[in-house]
Amino acid sequence: MAKIRGKETKTILTPLCKLAQIDAENGGYMVDDILIKNGMILTMEDDEPVIENGTLLIEDGVITGIGKAELFLQNSTAQMIDATGSIVMPGLVNCHTHLPMSLFRGLADDLPLEIWLSKHIFPAEAEQINPDSVKKWALHSCHELLFSGTTTCCDGYFYEDLVAKAVLESGIRAVTGHGVIDFPAPGVPDPEKNVETAVNFAKKWKNRSSCIHPSIFCHSPYTCSKATLKKAKQAADSLGILFQIHVAETENEQNMIQENKDKSPVEYLDSLGLLDEHTLLSHAVWINENDIAIIKKRGASIAHCAESNMKLAAGIAPIPLIMENEIIVGLGTDGSASNNNLDLFLEMDTAAKLHKIAYSDPCVMNAKDVVKMATIGGAKALGLGKSIGSLKIGKKADIIIINTEKPHLVPLYNPFSTLVYGVKGSDVTHVIVDGEILCRP
């Protein structure tokens, strides 16, 4: 595999092509077996969360062995990775971002959401977003995610075909959601074709790549009509794919929805039949106990974007209460335009501390629960919990290794606390997706 870019001491490698039709033509692809040894393995499985001095075997992109060192050393042909002094854990899952928007990092900071969007981001998108810029900056974001330990992301944007190609080139795993909005958008000049364009994208990419999962992403209940929302959700259901939407991000959102004046945004979406276990609600800041009861009943999931919510002063989502109601919650960074980085370790740290001060309780959002949100919780929120999000025999080998011998991580008393309150993305040394080593020292 060839080096395509270096950063600090890391190298990112070109992944093997996994397009289904190319596999058929070439008779499949070869992936080296990998044996990771001597690391502290955090499985994120409830029955055995931590394995000291553990070993993990990867064969054909799948975890086939996990346990103590002596169990798997007989596989002499495997590529060895010595993880001494390191944590071995599932790759992080970023449940909400907009990959091409790295182009607008720092463009318009310190502004309210409505002004930020209408006066700066929407005009900048109209001027600067095109197929070339989308491909370039989506690929840039994929690399940023990989370097900081994220192996799966959930994107929502336009020209999503180019985003999917960037995802494929980088090797990251992604849910790629084509944007739907009721006014002219990049690549969709005619709003009448917004859902049709998203459906065509999803059909093109569904089952085409092992690492790409197409989705339909309605921007919000105030930028999409009732008819558009219902049509998009029905299309997603018919294709068996995830439906995403921003919801209850600001206090004023209910008043911004033209076709709704008497319901909360969550009640409104529920009245349209949009909420079920295949729906991902991003932000969900301004929701009440009744909204939470609806979300729980319908089985929808939430993407919590603490840093973006803070930066835009959108508010503080009631995540502890949401989690008490056993609603699935994953973490998201949002796009770099409203966060300025895609480092999910920083997002974990912020999410944990934000809710402690908001609730005046240092015990809420404990470190282990936050790591779950960034791994298995995020995987479940995206509908991928059966294949990724924890280290278990039979699951896809999406794995990261973190060097814990750096000064700011020593001593290590509790690995979960270290991950949330100490680790940064730059501490990640190895990134493996689908059994391929994409980043290494």
Side-chain angles (χ1 to χ4, degrees), residues 74 83 93 96 144 154 205 230 241 293 307 341 355 430 433:
Q74 67 270 21
V93 179
H96 183 65
E144 182 179 350
C154 182
W205 285 94
K230 294 177 70 173
I241 60 178
E307 289 188 3
N341 70 76
H355 296 289
H430 295 73
V433 180

Side-chain angles (χ1 to χ4, degrees), residues 74-96:
Q74 67 270 21
N75 191 318
S76 58
T77 62
Q79 180 179 173
M80 297 283 186
I81 298 177
D82 188 347
T84 300
S86 299
I87 288 174
V88 180
M89 66 178 290
L92 305 186
V93 179
N94 189 333
C95 281
H96 183 65

Side-chain angles (χ1 to χ4, degrees), residues 218 226 229-231 233 243 245 268-276 278-279 281 300:
C218 280
K226 181 184 298 185
L229 292 170
K230 294 177 70 173
K231 185 177 180 182
K233 174 58 176 169
F243 175 79
I245 188 167
Y268 173 64
L269 295 184
D270 187 50
S271 71
L272 302 180
L274 270 60
L275 303 185
D276 58 31
H278 305 298
T279 301
L281 306 174

